[in-house]
Amino acid sequence: MAEQDETARRRGRGARERILAAAMALFETQGITATGMEQVASHAPVSKRTLYLHFPTKDQLVVAYLRHLAESGHTIDHALDRADLSPRQRLLELFTVPRTGTGPIRGCPFIDAAAEFPDPDSPVHAHTRQEKQRFTHRVIELVRQLGAAHPEILGEQLAILADGVASRAMVFNDPGCGEHARAAAAALLDAATGSPSTKDR
């Protein structure tokens, strides 16, 4: 009996992973609201019963998808975790626009999700707001480590720049937008710390 229960748990974990993988592929190619739960189940592939067992509502699936992106390093704040870079370099790395294969540049998944769920009180929109607040707090902490004056203000400015370049690079499908934002961020850091660096690139 215990062995059967363990087998069921393993199958359950596998199904959940397949569902999230299917949701990620579909949400990124055709958008969240355009993707139905039945389509996710078909691509997983799992039964609709299994899908709803793991994610009773689409909101719960979307929030789980966003959490998975953040935990797996598929968002811009992954740069803030890089132990091989100094705090200043980590901040400037936020403005390196990644390209995945030959497809179009993707914007920030949290901004995309918030746009598709515009009600501020919806679970998805509330989750994106929490993620953006967490991101800003992490930026502020790095700015504080640099000894910048008014770290809360500068951190908010850099977070806005990072969100802006993610959206603009997606709209124009141009990674070069990141270089302009990087130069602006470096100027803000120089003004706040009084210590321009020649090792930003």
Side-chain angles (χ1 to χ4, degrees):
M1 188 67 170
E3 185 176 339
Q4 290 178 345
D5 290 343
E6 178 62 23
T7 299
R9 282 194 293 270
R10 288 177 180 174
R11 287 177 179 170
R13 285 199 298 270
R16 189 177 193 279
E17 290 167 358
R18 292 198 306 275
I19 292 167
L20 284 174
M24 181 179 295
L26 291 168
F27 290 164
E28 290 184 358
T29 56
Q30 61 187 36
I32 297 173
T33 54
T35 300
M37 293 290 272
E38 290 189 7
Q39 192 178 13
V40 173
S42 176
H43 277 68
V46 297
S47 67
K48 286 192 292 183
R49 180 179 178 279
T50 298
L51 171 62
Y52 285 107
L53 181 64
H54 287 280
F55 304 102
T57 68
K58 187 174 181 180
D59 280 352
Q60 288 176 315
L61 174 59
V62 175
V63 170
Y65 150 75
L66 293 172
R67 283 180 176 148
H68 177 71
L69 284 179
E71 292 168 359
S72 57
H74 286 85
T75 57
I76 60 172
D77 60 341
H78 175 63
L80 302 179
D81 296 322
R82 291 189 54 180
D84 61 315
L85 299 178
S86 68
R88 178 188 174 93
Q89 289 171 325
R90 288 182 217 174
L91 291 168
L92 294 179
E93 189 63 21
L94 292 173
F95 306 101
T96 297
V97 178
R99 294 211 69 146
T100 304
T102 58
I105 292 174
R106 296 288 304 167
C108 171
F110 301 117
I111 294 176
D112 292 345
E116 293 203 56
F117 292 81
D119 180 0
D121 296 324
S122 72
V124 174
H125 198 107
H127 180 75
T128 63
R129 182 167 57 247
Q130 291 170 0
E131 284 290 338
K132 285 302 178 182
Q133 290 170 338
R134 184 180 65 86
F135 171 66
T136 302
H137 291 155
R138 295 187 68 195
V139 172
I140 289 171
E141 181 54 35
L142 284 178
V143 169
R144 185 175 284 114
Q145 290 179 30
L146 294 174
H150 310 295
E152 291 81 8
I153 295 175
L154 179 54
E156 183 69 30
Q157 291 171 336
L158 293 176
I160 289 172
L161 267 178
D163 286 340
V165 74
S167 298
R168 193 169 178 84
M170 181 271 294
V171 169
F172 289 98
N173 196 37
D174 179 12
C177 295
E179 291 302 314
H180 300 300
R182 185 187 182 101
L188 286 171
L189 287 169
D190 291 346
T193 62
S195 55
S197 174
T198 59
K199 298 179 180 180
D200 292 342
R201 297 181 182 276

